Amino acid sequence: MSSGPAGRRAPSVVVAGGGSAGHIEPALALADAVRRLRPDARITALGTERGLDTTLIPARGYPLELIPPVPLPRKPSADLLRLPGRVRDAVTRVREVLDAVQADVVAGFGGYVALPAYLGARGRVPIVVHEANARAGLANKVGARCAAFVAVAVPGTGLPGEQVVGMPLRRSITGLDRMALRAQARHWFGLPPHGPVLLVFGGSQGARTLNEAVAAALPGLLRAGIAVLHAHGRGGSAAPPARGYVATPYIERMDLAYAAADAVLGRCGMTTVAEVTAVGLPAVYVPLPHGNGEQALNAAPVVALGGGVLVDDAELTGERAMAELIPLLTNPGRLTAMGRAARSTGHADAADRLARLVLEIADGYGPGTDRGHPGTESHGLRKGPDPWAGA
């Protein structure tokens, strides 16, 4: 490993946040921030062949090391019986990667990539856990039990020792000047240069409820002079073509989409909520009706301060969409007030804050540190009975 500034050893940081964009994007935002602070840092991403790992991570310029996927069955099945063997295989591969890159710290963001990363790093390399949602998932509940630091986007996750740092976001989002880019952004997407624009998206795979509601509401929205930029997902369907309606399976330049828009209709995964509030856009949030209800909790602080509206998935019809969106998008004063309230709940510096913490821990785990118990005293790795011993 080469030396960095002032003769310091260049840190080796491993990020584990594969699977969905909601796990990958904050991991890459952290990686970008680490690289800004320490250009000499070696950054390695863990992922699997499933999901968006092999697409998003190499595109951002980071090496990707693949590990076997470890899906967690929700019901008793043959897959459940195979789980211990899959965990062992994945943990073995993680440890090979950690040794190969001489990892100084592992930063995990939940999901099925993070679980074997935590188990592989436990007792070998310091762990930093970041929980994006208001309710922690299984992987982060496991990782937090032996973590050097537990960072969360919002309080009340239930993880031990949680500290609120916000949601790590890309610099293209946190530094976005929407007004300065508005004309360029609308030209980029082929949207009208004047008048309100609604941005609709439901994640990389789309959201059927949103797509159906937009299709039903589109004639009314267009009659009201509202243009629509609709990311319907790779597996979703667009509304019929119409003047003022731009449909695309996936938006690569979300910064330009936010700059073009005046309001958002979307899900409320924590990445979405964090980005929308960081750029100061009002939103109608429609929580995913599955899982443990964390999406509604993610949006609750924004809604409470007047920066958004919450609509149950079962209640989002074309009529309800028009009832919520037309009065909002045709009232400039309300748009401004809601946008200001939304921005007040954001944490634009979260990526840099987390990066400084990760680098501090990595610097404390350099040459001469006992690699059997890295950083235990200085960074608070918890000792005690280990329910995952032998994994």
Side-chain angles (χ1 to χ4, degrees), residues 55-92:
T55 301
L56 297 183
I57 294 172
R60 293 279 284 275
Y62 293 106
L64 172 64
E65 293 290 343
L66 297 177
I67 63 174
V70 186
L72 300 176
R74 296 183 180 273
K75 298 178 181 179
S77 65
D79 281 342
L80 186 60
L81 297 176
R82 288 190 285 267
L83 182 60
R86 287 174 171 168
V87 170
R88 283 193 295 271
D89 291 344
V91 168
T92 297

Side-chain angles (χ1 to χ4, degrees), residues 14-363:
V14 173
V15 296
S20 68
H23 293 303
I24 296 171
E25 285 299 341
L28 295 181
L30 169 66
D32 291 344
V34 167
R35 187 158 283 176
R36 285 194 299 271
L37 294 171
R38 288 289 301 271
D40 61 318
R42 179 178 184 179
I43 300 168
T44 307
L46 297 179
T48 75
E49 292 182 344
R50 297 187 177 188
L52 298 171
D53 307 19
T54 56
T55 301
L56 297 183
I57 294 172
R60 293 279 284 275
Y62 293 106
L64 172 64
E65 293 290 343
L66 297 177
I67 63 174
V70 186
L72 300 176
R74 296 183 180 273
K75 298 178 181 179
S77 65
D79 281 342
L80 186 60
L81 297 176
R82 288 190 285 267
L83 182 60
R86 287 174 171 168
V87 170
R88 283 193 295 271
D89 291 344
V91 168
T92 297
R93 174 59 182 151
V94 166
R95 289 173 177 168
E96 291 173 352
V97 173
L98 298 182
D99 289 343
V101 302
Q102 295 182 281
D104 294 313
V105 62
V106 171
F109 293 81
Y112 56 76
V113 173
L115 180 58
Y118 297 146
L119 297 177
R122 183 200 59 218
R124 296 166 177 249
V125 180
I127 295 168
V128 173
V129 169
H130 183 277
E131 176 56 57
N133 292 303
R135 288 181 178 168
L138 174 61
N140 279 349
K141 288 179 180 178
V142 172
R145 300 171 80 165
C146 56
F149 191 89
V150 177
V152 297
V154 292
T157 64
L159 295 179
E162 68 174 30
Q163 296 193 39
V164 178
V165 300
M167 185 72 171
L169 299 174
R170 292 166 287 174
R171 180 63 67 88
S172 62
I173 300 298
T174 59
L176 180 66
D177 186 336
R178 287 174 46 223
M179 292 301 102
L181 283 176
R182 188 181 182 92
Q184 175 191 342
R186 292 196 172 189
H187 178 74
W188 175 279
F189 289 108
L191 291 161
H194 305 291
V197 169
L198 171 68
L199 170 62
V200 183
F201 63 99
S204 58
Q205 301 305 314
R208 179 180 297 178
T209 300
L210 301 184
N211 292 345
E212 291 176 350
V214 168
L218 187 61
L221 294 170
L222 296 176
R223 283 195 299 269
I226 299 167
V228 178
L229 174 58
H230 181 197
H232 52 79
R234 295 190 175 100
S237 58
R243 185 178 180 83
Y245 172 67
V246 176
T248 180
Y250 185 76
I251 298 175
E252 295 286 350
R253 291 293 305 272
M254 283 302 297
D255 56 332
L256 293 182
Y258 290 138
D262 294 285
V264 168
L265 171 66
R267 294 297 194 196
C268 37
M270 198 60 224
T271 298
T272 296
V273 174
E275 290 190 351
V276 170
T277 56
V279 301
L281 276 170
V284 174
Y285 293 110
V286 185
L288 190 71
H290 311 299
N292 57 9
E294 72 273 5
Q295 285 212 349
L297 294 175
N298 292 340
V302 187
V303 173
L305 289 177
V309 176
L310 202 63
V311 176
D312 286 344
D313 185 86
E315 297 178 3
L316 186 70
T317 62
E319 290 185 0
R320 180 65 184 275
M322 287 189 291
E324 295 288 352
L325 293 164
I326 292 176
L328 170 61
L329 281 155
T330 55
N331 186 334
R334 187 181 172 202
L335 280 173
T336 299
M338 287 185 68
R340 188 178 297 117
R343 186 184 289 274
S344 71
T345 68
H347 294 269
D349 64 343
D352 287 337
R353 291 178 63 192
L354 190 60
R356 284 192 290 270
L357 172 84
V358 166
L359 286 171
E360 178 186 346
I361 292 174
D363 285 339

